[in-house]
Amino acid sequence: PLFAPVWVSRTVGTPLGTGPWKFVDFKRGVEARFEANTAYWDPKRIPEFAELRVVPRPDPTTRLSMVRTGEADMAVIDASQIGEVKKAGLRLQSIKATTILMIVFLGCWQKEMWCHQTPFRKAMVLAVDMEGVVKRLFPEGAGNRYANAQFTERALGFDPSLKPYPYDAAEAQKILKEIGYDGKPVKIWSAPLPTSPETPEIMELVQGYLNAAGFKTELTPIEYGAFRPRIVKSPQTFETTYAAHLHIDVGFTRPMMMQNFAVSWLSHEAGGLIQSYWNLPKAEQISRRLKQITDLKVLDEEFRKVNRETYPEYAFFPIMARNTLFAGGPRVGDWSPGDNGLAWHLETVKKARQ
């Protein structure tokens, strides 16, 4: 089959491997070609297609058009194309919860900022109808809401008793009055990533909800390449002249959770990257405790404790766990893409039975 993804991984020289596909050729920016390994040790995973061509096509409209015209058998699509895929009678398939969209509060480890206070973060979260935002921008099948940080169903520490935060604008207004909010603006950074092209629309809606609840805001569109140095620079320079800095982070679903915890929660000094948790010393203490655990069941329970403890802190504002979506043409009968992030098992693509 011909598969049109967003990208093709780099290949240097002649790769070695024992997988169900055998490498044939690679032309940078053009295609990678493979042929079925009919001697593969597991007969159930010997490809039904004799050849696989993987071509990079960064534009989602182009990828879908290739499937519709028969130029490609399968392609990655955007959530906005779900309706078009169904209308065209193409097969829609997905890998659930591969990426995690959430609003992070940057710089809030600084005590001078309003967002260092849990009631202020709670007010921001309650002020936004995130369920309404998701329903407005994402078609059915694009993903699902989740409750806290990166704790999805596929990760250690998941707690089904925790639900996504509710929308309660009146309570948000009440909190702002009780804590004496002085009108210092909330800085909203609109820095879209390829895995979150909807960022500008999300942030515009968030700004509207915050303004309606009584927050002062400042929306700043910016390319992610220009914004990222603010995150990785040490020390970070998120100005305390703002009440909070909001940014949409897109992480990957990592079942072990340890890497996500390090990236999002820990300080630079402790090996973190974003350091978006409001209490960095506490995060480092938790990390030291988790690193001592070698039993997976015990680690799962300890992460669940972290999940439950930080949920009422409103430390992060989850948007949705997003699915990776694919369109399949008439030659594709079925596919078992796997349940491990973006590790697509293309050898499980089955031919349509005529």
Side-chain angles (χ1 to χ4, degrees):
L2 177 61
F3 181 53
V6 181
W7 46 261
V8 172
S9 60
R10 295 182 178 181
T11 302
V12 179
T14 302
L16 300 175
T18 57
W21 293 103
K22 294 191 293 185
F23 174 79
V24 175
D25 186 37
F26 174 76
K27 296 178 181 178
R28 190 179 304 281
V30 180
E31 69 175 9
R33 290 192 301 123
F34 306 84
E35 63 181 23
N37 179 6
T38 56
Y40 188 61
W41 67 272
D42 184 354
K44 296 179 181 178
R45 293 183 65 192
I46 294 176
E48 290 191 3
F49 288 85
E51 183 184 38
L52 168 67
R53 291 176 55 215
V54 183
V55 298
R57 295 293 184 269
D59 180 61
T61 301
T62 300
R63 295 197 298 270
L64 181 55
S65 178
M66 290 174 67
V67 179
R68 296 184 68 170
T69 61
E71 186 180 353
D73 292 300
M74 295 177 61
V76 181
I77 64 165
D78 284 353
S80 61
Q81 297 174 306
I82 289 178
E84 190 177 350
V85 169
K86 292 180 177 179
K87 186 176 180 180
L90 301 174
R91 178 180 290 274
L92 178 68
Q93 305 217 218
S94 67
I95 306 177
K96 293 183 179 180
T98 55
T99 55
I100 311 167
L101 281 68
M102 67 179 179
I103 293 177
V104 293
F105 306 125
L106 295 170
C108 296
W109 45 270
Q110 301 172 102
K111 295 181 179 180
E112 302 91 334
M113 295 181 68
W114 274 99
C115 63
H116 184 73
Q117 303 178 36
T118 295
F120 190 80
R121 296 192 304 274
K122 179 178 180 180
M124 281 193 290
V125 171
L126 295 182
V128 179
D129 181 7
M130 192 57 74
E131 184 73 24
V133 171
V134 169
K135 287 183 178 180
R136 177 170 176 173
L137 298 179
F138 296 93
E140 184 178 354
N144 293 293
R145 299 290 316 287
Y146 65 104
N148 185 34
Q150 298 97 345
F151 296 104
T152 64
E153 290 186 40
R154 291 169 51 192
L156 296 181
F158 175 71
D159 187 339
S161 69
L162 300 178
K163 306 301 179 185
Y165 297 120
Y167 168 50
D168 193 337
E171 180 63 19
Q173 292 172 335
K174 179 182 176 183
I175 292 172
L176 290 185
K177 185 176 181 179
E178 289 175 347
I179 64 178
Y181 171 55
D182 60 4
K184 187 177 287 187
V186 173
K187 184 75 164 181
I188 302 175
W189 296 96
S190 181
L193 287 161
T195 45
S196 180
E198 302 86 0
T199 287
E201 289 84 359
I202 294 173
M203 286 311 211
E204 287 176 8
L205 291 170
V206 167
Q207 182 185 35
Y209 279 114
L210 291 179
N211 288 345
F215 292 88
K216 300 296 183 183
T217 62
E218 183 179 304
L219 178 66
T220 301
I222 186 172
E223 293 294 326
Y224 184 72
F227 177 72
R228 190 174 185 275
R230 281 183 163 266
I231 296 176
V232 300
K233 182 180 179 181
S234 187
Q236 281 184 341
T237 53
F238 286 104
E239 302 87 351
T240 57
T241 52
Y242 292 97
H245 292 260
L246 309 187
H247 162 61
I248 292 182
D249 181 46
V250 184
F252 293 103
T253 303
R254 298 179 175 99
M256 282 292 291
M257 269 298 293
M258 292 298 291
Q259 188 173 0
N260 278 347
F261 188 87
V263 168
S264 298
W265 300 59
L266 295 182
S267 68
H268 288 168
E269 291 74 17
L273 178 66
I274 300 175
Q275 57 178 33
S276 57
Y277 185 59
W278 68 277
N279 188 337
L280 298 181
K282 177 181 175 180
E284 188 171 351
Q285 184 181 31
I286 293 172
S287 178
R288 286 196 299 267
R289 185 176 82 242
L290 295 173
K291 287 179 179 178
Q292 300 301 314
I293 301 172
T294 57
D295 187 296
L296 199 60
K297 290 183 178 180
V298 177
L299 184 60
D300 183 25
E301 182 54 40
E302 285 300 310
F303 261 125
R304 194 168 293 111
K305 291 178 182 177
V306 175
N307 189 2
R308 294 168 182 159
E309 181 181 344
T310 59
Y311 178 79
E313 293 179 355
Y314 297 84
F316 303 90
F317 192 3
I319 300 172
M320 70 182 300
R322 186 175 192 151
N323 302 337
T324 296
L325 304 165
F326 303 84
R331 292 208 306 164
V332 175
D334 197 7
W335 183 33
S336 301
D339 194 33
N340 293 295
L342 301 180
W344 307 327
H345 300 286
L346 294 175
E347 73 278 2
T348 64
V349 178
K350 304 297 183 183
K351 289 183 179 180
R353 307 305 177 196
Q354 304 298 332

